[in-house]
Amino acid sequence: MPGGLVAVLFPGQLQVPTAQCISGWQPPSASEALSLKKVPGRKPTRTESSKRQEFAWADPEPSPPSQRQHHKAMLRTSLRIPRQVLGAGLRVAACPGASRHLHHVPSLTHSYPDGVPNLLSAGGFNIAWTDYMTLMTEKLNALTVGTELEDKSTKTIALMTAREPSQAPIFNYASMAHNNHFFFEGFSPTGTPMPDTLRSELEANFSSIETLRREFIITASAMFGPGFVWLVRTNATNEFRILTTYLAGSPYSGAHWRAQPTDMNTRGNEGSAKSYFANQAAAASARGPAANLPPGGIDVSPVLCLNTWEHVWLLDWGVGAGGAGGKMAYAESWWELIDWEKVAEKAGVLRPKLKTADRAPAAADRA
């Protein structure tokens, strides 16, 4: 940017130039701007309006170069730049790192130049994946630049910010980027057969694969609002269950609840729930990772995900008026493309395929 200005983005604000990183200079306030009328050779003219105040300067005579540079440095934009609000424990790096963009749109396992067959057209895929993920990473970069979160994965950022109400914007963009990537990695152009080991375990939990399919599709169709439908596996009992999260909600137990400053029902750990919190702390060592769970929560690992946000399916499937198309038809078509081998790998019931390396032919082969 001209003049060595650095563009800094703050949560929920416009991108405007600021010189705060230049020799510690701070832009003047409105009251300080009024004092500029005392500068020799400058006659201020103030125009008032209902929305903003602008200062038009009349220069009666040329000023020396040094004085002109002084006046140029004192000019400021008409937009007020609020202070950056960071959550507790979020460290800020130096200003020179403000131009880095460490988060980017990840590459998918499969390529979809013409869209996802029988699911998303080329235009639908471009909106649901390319454009949307570009937006999520741009927002995430803007909110985390110069902080300790800028080089963390989207899952890690979501877990680190989920319980901080002041970090809700960062959590939303990070969790949405992670969830959407999880969704697109869960299917393939043609789908894959379900491994027998996974089939037997799913049938033990849902009685049949058809029951699981119906439950998944009906749950997605019944969601009144955007979100995700997950197939998860409980880490304690290895059972499969269906879980729904709305908006940018995360399926991970570390993001299930937020620690508010004051619980008006129990007044924290000194109120009517004091005995409960004491029992939780006493049993923490026995529970291991479950010690960080919210009351009644369970620790799960997601293995499959269906995105029910309208921007994913509305373009190609419509709203479903008259029983034609809609979210249910979209979910039914998605089911036929599930990569069940990848689901089995995430569930831990199928060993990942071993990678092979090309080798030069042996001497006997070359003879």
Side-chain angles (χ1 to χ4, degrees), residues 3-6 18-27 73 95-96:
L5 298 181
V6 180
T18 177
Q20 291 181 352
C21 294
I22 303 175
S23 303
W25 181 84
Q26 297 290 334
C95 281

Side-chain angles (χ1 to χ4, degrees), residues 256-280:
H256 282 180
W257 64 309
R258 288 178 177 169
Q260 304 294 340
T262 303
D263 186 341
M264 299 307 295
N265 294 316
T266 64
R267 305 290 297 182
N269 61 356
E270 295 298 327
S272 59
K274 182 176 181 179
S275 59
Y276 169 79
F277 285 107
N279 292 334
Q280 289 281 90

Side-chain angles (χ1 to χ4, degrees), residues 104-110 112 128-129 132-133 136-137 153-155 173-187 228 230 252 303-307 311-312 342 346:
H104 59 277
V105 179
S107 299
L108 293 174
T109 303
H110 304 283
Y112 301 101
W129 174 254
Y132 196 80
M133 289 297 289
M136 293 299 100
T137 53
S153 68
T154 53
K155 176 183 175 181
Y173 292 122
S175 185
M176 276 300 303
H178 172 77
N179 294 355
N180 200 42
H181 186 209
F182 201 107
F183 163 66
F184 273 91
E185 284 292 290
F187 56 79
F228 298 85
W230 304 82
Y252 302 101
V303 299
L304 182 63
C305 169
L306 172 61
N307 191 338
H311 68 265
V312 177
K342 184 167 293 185
K346 291 182 179 296

